[in-house]
Amino acid sequence: MTTLRSTFDPTSEEARANAEAMEAQLAEIDEQLAIAVAGGGDKYVERHHRRGKLTARERIELLLDRDAPFLELAPLAGYGSAFTVGGSVVAGIGVVEGVECLIVANDPTVKGGSSNPASVKKSLRMHDIARENRLPVISLVESGGADLPTQKDIFIPGGATFRNLTRLSAAGIPTIALVFGNSTAGGAYLPGMSDHVVMIEERSKVFLAGPPLVKAATGEESDDESLGGASMHARVSGLADYYALDEQDAIRIGRRIVRRLNWRKASGPRIAAYGPPRYAADDLLGIVPADLKNPFDPREVIARIVDDSDFDEFKPLYGSSLVTGWAEIHGFPVGILANARGVLFSEESQKAAQFIQLANQSDTPLLFLHNTTGYMVGKEYEQGGIIKHGSMMINAVSNSTVPHISVLMGNSFGAGHYGMCGRAFEPRFVFTWPSARSSVMGAQQLADVTYSVSKASAEAQGKPFDEEGAQMIRGMIEQQISAEAMPLVLSGLVYDDGIIDPRDTRDVLGVALSAIHTAPVEGTSAFGVFRM
Amino acid sequence: MTTIPETLDGSEPATSPAPTAITSVLVANRGEIARRVFATCRTRGLATVAVYSDADAASPHVAEADSAVHLPGVTPSETYLRGDLIIEAAQRAGADAVHPGYGFLSENADFARAVQDAGLVWIGPDSAAIEVMGSKVESKQRMQDAGVPVLERLDPAAITEAELPVLVKASAGGGGRGMRVVRTLAEVGGAVESASREAASAFGDPTVFCERYLESGHHVEVQVMADAHGTVWALGERECSLQRRHQKVIEEAPSPLVERIGDDLRERLLTAARDAAAAVDYRGAGTVEFLADASGDFFFLEMNTRLQVEHPVTECVTGLDLVGLQLDVAAGEALTGEEPTMTGHSIEARLYAEDPAADWQPQSGTLHLVEIPGVAAHFAIPPMHGIRLDSGVADGSEVGTHYDPMLAKVISRAPTREQAARELAATLRHARVHGITTNRDLLVASLLHPDFLSGEADTRFYTKHDPAGLTADSGLDPHLGALAAALADAAYDRSETKVLGGIASGFRTVPALFQQRRYAVGEGELTVAYRLRRGRLELERLPDGVRDVVLLSATPQQVVLRIDGVRRAYRVDRVGEEQVVVDSPQGGVVLRVVPRFVDPSAQAPAGALVAPMPGSVVRVAVAEGAHVEAGQPLLWLEAMKMEHVVAAPAAGVVAHLAVSAGDQVAQGTTLAVVETADETMEQ
């Protein structure tokens, strides 16, 4: 038992300023979340309700076990695009009849639930999560199909939706489709590719082509019900396994299906009775400095997210710019790598590589807490082999087979982002704090580099250098990069699985870790060649 | 009041029967009275023998008896009314005395005689006295002869308008069975017939008689105890004016009427009672019942030749153990010393499994929890300001339809009447009786009603004050109850979950909707929409009249809220999956859990009439296809010894009849389906 001792004073002026900055950023994100929650807006929600239908979120709430957690994923997909924030899909991990499932629901109040490029990106990401963590998938289907004006961004990549579903099934991961409304044309393959299909009387409509198209193609006169009604599919085609009388009934049946999956998790928490952290989660608002130039001690964060604030640090005296150590979160053991002073040196890289190997030896998932500006540069460090050592770390991260989770707390720049298991390194989950910033390098540095390169180029060519214009460009670049490094932008591109309130970090990680343990957790000893 | 002179040579005194040693007592009864008798037996070192029907195999009275004998069957006529089997049981178990309790065979002279003929001690009066007093007709005559004021008997055939209203009463038995109040001449014939049928079924004797019915009055009765040596004690009076359907609900000693009128009223009553007992050479415990008016005039009603349900209040004010005295007297001992008098006040409330708001319908089911707080004594006199509990049930007891629906008697003892009433009311309010609807709230409301507290309440109390109205403001505000229930249910579900149990309840990173739980109270339905955000409670709608609710703690069993700045604790108990009971110092509320999902195939068809309680179908009045009017009786169900009519909810056609006479039905069984005119047309 090694209890972390906190020296953080939440009442200090600095902490209060930090918290104020964090709250301002949270407010900005809440604003976007409110847009996502509103879906198609009051008018469409009301019309939907008038038709006796539930919204996507209402369907999900009814499907979930009451009072059980629901970890919504990628709620801000599509931010920064022309489409409504959320990608016309509500998705997340929730508990249904005691089984953690990946739930994907079309939001029919947003353009009839039609798919836009953000929807596709989000849905495919959900399938990744289901596959990697072996979570049964429940699709709550009601979609008008592809958003035709953007079909070029949807049609070809979107095919993976159907491929994924049947591959999940092939991997023994159950797929369930509750069809609440339209699921036509390509959408018809969604129930077609699912293991279990529920359709609703006079609501579900599943056909390859509707009456006008059929008429045009073959001259046959037909109607919706005979082409694709629930009754027809339940009694004639056999596409529907269950015939529900209404939406509530469909959800009831969906829950019964899950109940009968006989689904077993690979493992649960290692420790059943654990204590909460000894320090208040509220403090997490004030730990990250308002100005990310100032480093902060990640142990203050660790003390507020791990069980009983109990943390056994590995190599505390070596490579002290990266904190490594062991802890449990909601009873699940984790190895934690957390940047302490931003920069990664050779020692930190080697320490990280060793720590990752140890976690693989003991089948322990890894948590990366990002606040890095990258690997150290400079003659001394290049000569000292920083590339070799950074590569060791990236090699270890890339080939490690224990599950990884990344939380971007502050800076996550350059190759440091890669070494700390950025999105491209396939962590099981990536969550972002509102205070995070991520890009190839810091905005100011990037602007500086551009400025000096252009100046050097002008000088080399003997051309006159437009100092004023260069400074203006420098400012613009810094602004652009700053904006692009913002969590909302990254989240909009589904580069993370959600921006979270720092106070929620422990529970978010708890849900993620539990989901992860649905699949076996196994380390490896097979890494690439470490360049020593 | 002299002691028996003991003779040196052991020969018996010429004038008195020999003291008979009692070593082992069989109680020919069940429930609380069996336990009451056993309690005294135990303190006296006597062995105890219980008898039990199929339905009572798991009852507390069986568990605590030294030995018990099974009486196969369920109905009283198969079991507790089978004198032959009971005597055989006594012999088999080695009992040498039989205590009949009250009800069943307690006033059956043949049984008393048979017990004695079998060489067993009968703990009760001689069969001759039972016989005389058992006949209401003859007993009245005797009383009239002895100068005790009586109401004259009327010939049913010759009743005149001026004599109305009249009371039709079964000559045998009591407890309100076979009793009818008739207010019009036209009803007389029918009432006599049905009372006679009920009397025959309940007591095996169809004889009924009529007398003038006094609309209002005070039920005042005197406890007597007589020995075989000529001593008759009148142990003060009791008042039992609060009655429903002629069954007592609240009883007390002394009588507020007698106290108020004063003068020599008490002495006149006690004298009349002593005379009544003496007139029939009474021996043992008995009760002489009178109806008294507000001016202090009283009329003899009947004498109950047994221990009375409400005997504890007399014990509490006299300090006597009446069962102990019964044993003494039965053993031939004499009552010695001064006739005891009353000190202080004692009130008994009968906790019934019944729904006062639904025409006192008896309730059956499983008693999930019975918790009466602060009980100072069981079946014995409590200290002053103490509560006595005489209970026949325990957690998990099954309450069936075959026997009396009384679950327990809660008795207070205090120096003054006001204190006794308030202490009893408080105890009942804090009691937790879950699983079955009881008259608890009504008891509390009655005890605290101004008419009761003033001592002026008479037998019309529940006619004047509708039970539903009395309890309308009692109990916990259902909205607060539902809120507490929802939060406790949420905590319960979280505690039961196998995954993510450690994560905050209802954890959401994107809070959008509220968790919903629905509960039904009476006809209404309440929805609680709530969510917890970092431990803070958020409600979609605050309960009416509440400005602010803060959640202090929530476990499956208890929810503590701060409501408008006041800390309030609620205890929550789940009764199966269907019911949640919330108790608080402000009262309790029973909530039916509205299921989240309904399986459409499990839903009863519209117009289906279901059995309101388990029972047997006595008579079916219609056939399938019959056209019926709204309210037209379709069939009769007998449960708890009472007939319940099942009537058409609306005009229509009997589309389906699922039962026939004689069928046993469980609660909720579909009995018939009536299609309304509209539905018929559609088809």
Side-chain angles (χ1 to χ4, degrees):
Chain A
M1 167 106 245
T2 317
T3 307
L4 284 168
R5 275 170 199 278
S6 173
T7 56
F8 174 76
D9 174 10
T11 62
S12 72
E13 207 171 298
E14 194 195 337
R16 285 213 299 265
N18 293 346
E20 217 170 279
M22 183 70 87
E23 275 162 8
Q25 299 181 94
L26 274 171
E28 208 178 313
I29 286 150
D30 283 347
E31 219 173 274
Q32 293 304 316
L33 287 175
I35 295 170
V37 167
D42 288 348
K43 188 178 133 197
Y44 288 99
V45 169
E46 200 189 302
R47 192 175 75 183
H48 191 70
H49 277 153
R50 236 188 0 256
R51 291 173 177 167
K53 293 175 157 221
L54 299 170
T55 65
R57 283 172 194 278
E58 286 165 343
R59 287 169 184 165
I60 291 173
E61 288 292 346
L62 199 56
L63 177 66
L64 295 171
D65 291 355
R66 270 189 301 208
D67 303 296
F70 177 64
L71 176 57
E72 190 164 335
L73 297 167
L76 298 177
Y79 171 86
S81 75
F83 297 97
T84 305
V85 177
S88 70
V89 169
V90 184
I93 296 169
V95 184
V96 178
E97 287 283 342
V99 177
E100 291 151 286
C101 297
L102 197 287
I103 298 160
V104 186
N106 298 121
D107 185 344
T109 66
V110 180
K111 291 193 171 173
S114 59
S115 283
N116 59 56
S119 324
V120 172
K121 210 180 251 187
K122 181 168 173 175
S123 301
L124 297 182
R125 169 64 191 146
M126 294 309 124
H127 289 163
D128 287 346
I129 292 172
R131 188 190 67 250
E132 289 171 344
N133 301 295
R134 297 191 62 79
L135 299 174
V137 175
I138 306 175
S139 307
L140 310 184
V141 187
E142 182 170 13
S143 167
D147 176 70
L148 294 177
T150 49
Q151 65 82 27
K152 76 170 166 44
D153 296 321
I154 301 168
F155 170 59
I156 290 174
T161 312
F162 312 111
R163 177 207 66 194
N164 285 348
L165 280 173
T166 188
R167 284 194 179 166
L168 286 166
S169 179
I173 300 168
T175 52
I176 300 165
L178 311 183
V179 185
F180 287 88
N182 284 330
S183 183
T184 55
Y189 288 103
L190 212 142
M193 291 294 168
S194 295
D195 293 350
H196 307 269
V197 177
V198 181
M199 293 196 198
I200 304 171
E201 184 175 71
E202 288 169 13
R203 297 278 186 193
S204 309
K205 205 194 285 178
V206 185
F207 43 61
L208 294 180
L213 212 59
V214 169
K215 171 90 172 148
T218 67
E220 185 189 9
E221 294 282 349
S222 57
D223 58 53
D224 283 359
E225 199 55 35
S226 64
L227 286 175
S231 176
M232 188 284 283
H233 282 306
R235 294 182 167 88
V236 184
S237 78
L239 177 61
D241 304 313
Y242 301 90
Y243 183 73
L245 295 183
D246 55 23
E247 294 204 5
Q248 279 82 359
D249 195 31
I251 292 169
R252 180 186 71 81
I253 295 168
R255 287 176 55 83
R256 296 307 300 169
I257 292 169
V258 176
R259 169 83 178 68
R260 297 296 183 189
L261 291 176
N262 194 20
W263 192 245
R264 286 145 295 178
K265 285 166 70 75
S267 60
R270 188 174 303 171
I271 292 160
Y274 51 83
R278 298 186 174 208
Y279 304 97
D282 283 352
D283 296 349
L284 291 169
L285 294 180
I287 291 173
V288 180
D291 184 350
L292 289 179
K293 274 195 194 112
N294 304 320
F296 63 92
D297 185 350
R299 293 176 195 85
E300 296 291 0
V301 173
I302 295 168
R304 287 163 179 81
I305 62 173
V306 304
D307 297 351
D308 210 16
S309 305
D310 184 2
F311 181 63
D312 284 301
E313 197 164 337
F314 169 75
K315 267 191 157 90
L317 304 176
Y318 184 82
S320 58
S321 185
L322 180 76
V323 174
T324 53
W326 311 104
E328 276 110 25
I329 295 176
H330 283 292
F332 292 100
V334 284
I336 299 174
L337 299 94
N339 305 111
R341 277 188 308 280
V343 188
L344 293 161
F345 299 89
S346 287
E347 289 86 345
E348 281 73 12
S349 306
Q350 289 174 306
K351 175 176 166 179
Q354 187 187 356
F355 186 71
I356 291 167
Q357 289 185 70
L358 288 173
N360 276 272
Q361 293 256 346
S362 63
D363 300 331
T364 307
L366 289 169
L367 171 64
F368 296 81
L369 299 175
H370 296 226
N371 182 28
T372 179
T373 48
Y375 292 95
M376 193 61 195
V377 294
K379 188 168 65 184
E380 184 192 340
Y381 304 101
E382 298 286 8
Q383 290 181 0
I386 185 73
I387 295 173
K388 288 197 307 179
H389 298 130
S391 299
M392 284 175 77
M393 181 171 169
I394 296 171
N395 177 347
V397 164
S398 304
N399 292 301
S400 162
T401 58
V402 295
H404 299 171
I405 301 176
S406 271
V407 176
L408 279 58
M409 305 185 295
N411 298 313
S412 189
F413 292 122
H417 172 75
Y418 298 161
M420 290 296 285
C421 199
R423 168 63 109 211
F425 292 79
E426 298 180 344
R428 294 288 178 90
F429 294 97
V430 184
F431 298 104
T432 310
W433 285 7
S435 47
R437 304 288 182 268
S438 189
S439 55
V440 67
M441 62 179 82
Q444 197 191 325
Q445 294 92 311
L446 197 142
D448 285 352
V449 169
T450 322
Y451 168 79
S452 35
V453 167
S454 65
K455 192 171 181 180
S457 150
E459 274 167 11
Q461 294 173 39
K463 287 183 185 167
F465 181 62
D466 175 7
E467 179 67 28
E468 203 180 312
Q471 286 295 357
M472 207 179 76
I473 289 167
R474 178 188 183 150
M476 275 165 59
I477 288 174
E478 187 176 339
Q479 221 173 4
Q480 182 208 330
I481 302 304
S482 292
E484 285 175 2
M486 294 301 281
L488 273 172
V489 174
L490 302 171
S491 220
L493 295 167
V494 198
Y495 285 158
D496 68 11
D497 297 310
I499 303 170
I500 60 171
D501 185 316
R503 292 170 291 184
D504 290 339
T505 307
R506 174 176 163 79
D507 276 355
V508 166
L509 293 174
V511 177
L513 283 164
S514 183
I516 281 170
H517 282 77
T518 307
V521 173
E522 278 164 17
T524 183
S525 54
F527 291 88
V529 172
F530 286 113
R531 196 175 281 281
M532 295 296 174
Chain B
M1 288 159 252
T2 51
T3 49
I4 311 160
E6 288 191 32
T7 52
L8 286 173
D9 60 4
S11 66
E12 49 187 84
T15 55
S16 313
T20 319
I22 295 175
T23 61
S24 175
V25 178
L26 176 142
V27 179
N29 216 302
R30 60 184 296 282
E32 65 89 19
I33 192 59
R35 301 187 70 200
R36 165 69 190 91
V37 176
F38 290 158
T40 290
C41 291
R42 271 198 305 274
T43 61
R44 292 183 169 221
L46 308 182
T48 54
V49 181
V51 287
Y52 63 97
S53 67
D54 293 355
D56 281 339
S59 292
H61 86 272
V62 181
E64 71 183 26
D66 292 337
S67 46
V69 179
H70 180 212
L71 305 174
V74 176
T75 62
S77 59
E78 292 170 312
T79 55
Y80 300 106
L81 290 174
R82 283 290 298 274
D84 54 339
L85 295 182
I86 290 168
I87 290 168
E88 196 192 313
Q91 287 164 334
R92 216 180 321 153
D96 45 31
V98 173
H99 192 298
Y102 54 72
F104 296 127
L105 294 169
S106 63
E107 291 176 289
N108 184 314
D110 292 339
F111 179 61
R113 209 174 293 117
V115 166
Q116 285 167 319
D117 289 350
L120 301 166
V121 176
W122 167 248
I123 303 171
D126 281 337
S127 52
I130 299 176
E131 241 154 32
V132 173
M133 287 303 183
S135 159
K136 297 213 165 63
V137 180
E138 192 183 340
S139 63
K140 276 200 177 171
Q141 193 56 53
R142 289 271 195 113
M143 291 306 108
Q144 208 165 7
D145 295 347
V148 177
V150 297
L151 285 170
E152 265 180 64
R153 188 153 65 94
L154 306 169
D155 177 359
I159 291 169
T160 65
E161 193 79 42
E163 286 163 333
L164 290 172
V166 297
L167 192 62
V168 184
K169 270 172 113 174
S171 182
R177 294 206 198 128
M179 210 182 271
R180 302 279 187 281
V181 177
V182 180
R183 295 176 195 282
T184 65
L185 287 178
E187 290 175 273
V188 174
V192 166
E193 196 181 309
S194 77
S196 175
R197 198 168 57 230
E198 200 170 303
S201 141
F203 314 113
D205 176 359
T207 312
V208 295
F209 68 97
C210 298
E211 64 185 25
R212 245 175 71 218
Y213 177 65
L214 297 188
E215 288 282 5
S216 78
H218 293 257
H219 178 108
V220 178
E221 59 186 31
V222 178
Q223 174 72 52
V224 296
M225 181 63 74
D227 64 15
H229 310 279
T231 302
V232 179
W233 277 352
L235 299 170
E237 82 287 347
R238 295 185 286 255
E239 181 165 340
C240 323
S241 294
L242 264 60
Q243 303 186 357
R244 53 97 179 131
R245 291 187 161 176
H246 310 291
Q247 269 198 4
K248 296 160 188 167
V249 177
I250 291 173
E251 303 115 322
E252 58 186 313
S255 151
L257 176 77
V258 173
E259 296 271 292
R260 192 166 63 247
I261 290 175
D263 291 332
D264 60 345
L265 177 56
R266 172 164 301 135
E267 200 37 54
R268 285 194 287 130
L269 279 162
L270 301 195
T271 304
R274 281 189 214 101
D275 292 347
V280 293
D281 286 332
Y282 198 78
R283 195 180 62 144
T287 297
V288 186
E289 296 188 338
F290 301 98
L291 189 62
D293 65 20
S295 65
D297 289 335
F298 58 87
F299 304 96
F300 171 83
L301 286 176
E302 62 179 353
M303 179 171 183
N304 293 322
T305 54
R306 53 170 162 87
L307 194 65
Q308 205 96 335
V309 175
E310 58 272 25
H311 75 274
V313 295
T314 298
E315 294 187 323
C316 286
V317 294
T318 59
L320 298 170
D321 174 350
L322 292 176
V323 173
L325 289 175
Q326 282 188 300
L327 290 168
D328 291 342
V329 167
E333 286 177 34
L335 300 169
T336 60
E338 289 295 310
E339 183 181 64
T341 55
M342 299 185 284
T343 314
H345 203 95
S346 179
I347 305 179
E348 170 180 288
R350 295 191 191 185
L351 192 63
Y352 282 111
E354 67 182 15
D355 186 354
D359 202 20
W360 311 96
Q361 220 163 59
Q363 307 288 306
S364 63
T366 305
L367 263 179
H368 180 256
L369 175 77
V370 190
E371 192 184 282
I372 315 281
V375 172
H378 293 268
F379 305 106
I381 301 165
M384 210 47 110
H385 297 294
I387 291 294
R388 165 175 174 167
L389 176 65
D390 285 22
S391 168
V393 292
D395 291 0
S397 284
E398 289 290 332
V399 177
T401 54
H402 295 284
Y403 316 114
D404 191 87
M406 191 179 81
L407 303 173
K409 310 182 304 205
V410 187
I411 303 119
S412 64
R413 180 186 175 216
T416 69
R417 183 171 187 269
E418 166 110 12
Q419 288 166 334
R422 292 203 184 281
E423 288 166 22
L424 184 54
T427 297
L428 287 164
R429 177 182 285 150
H430 287 93
R432 303 171 81 201
V433 184
H434 300 168
I436 297 182
T437 302
T438 71
N439 63 339
R440 189 270 301 268
D441 288 349
L442 182 73
L443 292 174
V444 175
S446 305
L447 287 165
L448 297 179
H449 195 278
D451 285 3
F452 181 81
L453 287 175
S454 71
E456 282 162 22
D458 60 30
T459 51
R460 281 180 310 174
F461 184 78
Y462 291 121
T463 317
K464 272 198 257 178
H465 308 289
D466 173 49
L470 282 172
T471 53
D473 295 330
S474 72
L476 178 63
D477 175 357
H479 292 89
L480 289 177
L483 173 58
L487 297 171
D489 278 351
Y492 176 75
D493 283 358
R494 293 301 294 140
S495 72
E496 290 287 296
T497 184
K498 290 189 179 61
V499 295
L500 301 175
I503 309 291
S505 184
F507 177 71
R508 299 286 184 276
T509 44
V510 183
L513 301 172
F514 291 86
Q515 300 286 327
Q516 299 215 340
R517 287 182 184 268
R518 287 184 296 153
Y519 301 95
V521 185
E523 299 295 301
E525 204 174 286
L526 304 169
T527 300
V528 185
Y530 62 96
R531 66 183 174 213
L532 297 168
R533 190 100 173 99
R534 299 196 183 91
R536 221 179 56 243
L537 175 66
E538 297 176 355
L539 295 174
E540 195 173 44
R541 231 182 3 265
L542 283 167
D544 285 349
V546 171
R547 277 165 290 126
D548 177 45
V549 178
V550 176
L551 174 65
L552 298 179
S553 69
T555 68
Q557 293 80 32
Q558 179 171 283
V559 172
V560 184
L561 300 172
R562 195 163 63 222
I563 299 174
D564 293 339
V566 182
R567 182 187 183 277
R568 306 267 190 204
Y570 302 93
R571 298 180 72 185
V572 182
D573 183 37
R574 270 157 289 281
V575 181
E577 290 187 348
E578 283 104 46
Q579 221 181 60
V580 182
V581 187
V582 183
D583 292 294
S584 78
Q586 290 77 50
V589 65
V590 178
L591 304 162
R592 293 194 310 285
V593 176
V594 178
R596 217 176 158 202
F597 299 99
V598 178
D599 180 354
S601 66
Q603 279 180 305
L609 295 160
V610 298
M613 66 189 72
S616 55
V617 178
V618 192
R619 196 154 73 83
V620 179
V622 292
E624 268 182 25
H627 286 266
V628 292
E629 293 305 313
Q632 181 178 335
L634 305 181
L635 51 89
W636 284 262
L637 204 59
E638 190 188 86
M640 299 276 198
K641 292 283 133 210
M642 283 166 53
E643 285 186 6
H644 302 273
V645 62
V646 175
V653 173
V654 179
H656 179 58
L657 197 59
V659 294
S660 51
D663 285 359
Q664 281 286 331
V665 293
Q667 187 165 3
T669 307
T670 298
L671 303 170
V673 180
V674 174
E675 266 171 14
T676 60
D678 298 351
E679 287 167 333
T680 318
M681 293 222 316
E682 275 171 28
Q683 292 174 358

